[in-house]
Amino acid sequence: VEAHTYYADGSFSFTRHSQSRGYVHFLTHHETGFYTDSLQYSNFGEQHGLPTFCKYLYRPGVALRQCADLEQPGPHGSVRNVLVAQALSGFRAPGEWPPVPDEGVPLGETVFITAGGVLLPRGLAMEEARDRGATEMVSRMEVVPLEVPMPPLDGPLVTEIEAFQREMTAWASHYSPEALDRMEAQLHHAFGGTFGAHGDGLE
C-alpha cells in the first residue's frame, strides 16, 4: 500500500520512486466543505515526450474532505479517514465534489463516476472504468498521526525542495505571471483537461 506523508510545513513524501516528493503549492477551502490542492513535485523525473520545463508546471491536484471516524472491529476501534476525489483527465483538482454518497466508498477502496454522475460498480480497474465512461474517482483513505510534525531542516527532503525551488525561480524569472499561468493551463489541456480557472472544474 502506498503511503502519503504530509508535514505541517506543506512538504510531502510518498512511498514510490518518482513524483513522490515536493510541497503543496496551494490549498483552497470551498464553501460546500471540501478542499482542493495543487502539488509541486521536486522529483518530477524524466518523462518521455515532455519538454523539460514541464517539471515546473505539472502540478496535480485532488479534492479532499474529512469524514466521520469509522468504527472498526478489533483493538483499534475508530479509524480517522478522508475522501479524496480526482479527475481522470488533465491534472487539476475537481471544482465540485462528485455526487457519491460517503457510504458508497469503503475504506481502502476507490469508486468511479461518469460525467453524468453514474456510480460504476465497485472493483473496476482504471482502464475498464475509463472504457465505461468514468471521468472521476473517489477513494477513502485512512489517516494516521505523524511521528514528527516537520521534516528535518537539514534532511534530504528539505534540501531537495530548496534546490528545486531555486532552480524553478530562476527559470520562471524569464516569464510574466500571466504567461506562466497560460503555460500551466495549456499543459493541463494537453493532459486532457479543459480550460478555466484553477480548481473550478472548467479548465
Side-chain angles (χ1 to χ4, degrees):
V1 177
E2 183 176 294
H4 292 194
T5 300
Y6 290 88
Y7 293 99
D9 64 352
S11 62
F12 63 80
S13 178
F14 304 158
T15 54
R16 64 187 187 212
H17 178 66
S18 65
Q19 297 186 13
S20 58
R21 297 184 298 275
Y23 59 89
V24 178
H25 181 62
F26 71 73
L27 183 69
T28 303
H29 180 256
H30 296 255
E31 292 182 355
T32 50
F34 69 96
Y35 293 83
T36 51
D37 67 10
S38 173
L39 304 183
Q40 180 74 65
Y41 291 125
S42 57
N43 68 331
F44 182 74
E46 295 296 326
Q47 304 296 321
H48 180 70
L50 292 179
T52 303
F53 69 81
C54 290
K55 65 182 177 180
Y56 306 125
L57 298 175
Y58 179 76
R59 296 168 176 152
V62 299
L64 61 157
R65 181 162 58 81
Q66 187 171 359
C67 299
D69 291 356
L70 293 174
E71 295 301 324
Q72 299 287 317
H76 300 293
S78 60
V79 175
R80 292 182 61 198
N81 65 102
V82 293
L83 288 174
V84 180
Q86 185 173 354
L88 299 186
S89 59
F91 55 76
R92 292 180 174 175
E96 297 181 357
W97 192 260
V100 179
D102 290 3
E103 60 273 15
V105 189
L107 183 66
E109 294 189 23
T110 296
V111 299
F112 296 93
I113 309 97
T114 69
V118 177
L119 182 64
L120 297 178
R122 287 167 51 189
L124 295 179
M126 176 76 74
E127 289 308 312
E128 184 180 0
R130 287 180 183 273
D131 290 343
R132 297 178 66 165
T135 57
E136 293 179 301
M137 65 183 191
V138 180
S139 306
R140 187 185 292 268
M141 301 180 179
E142 182 179 358
V143 177
V144 298
L146 288 170
E147 294 182 1
V148 292
M150 301 278 279
L153 289 178
D154 58 351
L157 177 60
V158 173
T159 300
E160 179 181 271
I161 290 173
E162 289 178 342
F164 172 82
Q165 190 66 25
R166 288 191 295 268
E167 178 186 316
M168 183 174 66
T169 299
W171 172 82
S173 66
H174 299 287
Y175 304 92
S176 68
E178 293 78 15
L180 292 170
D181 286 344
R182 287 196 300 271
M183 292 166 69
E184 183 180 338
Q186 289 166 355
L187 183 61
H188 170 69
H189 181 68
F191 276 85
T194 53
F195 286 109
H198 259 298
D200 64 4
L202 299 173
E203 289 88 342

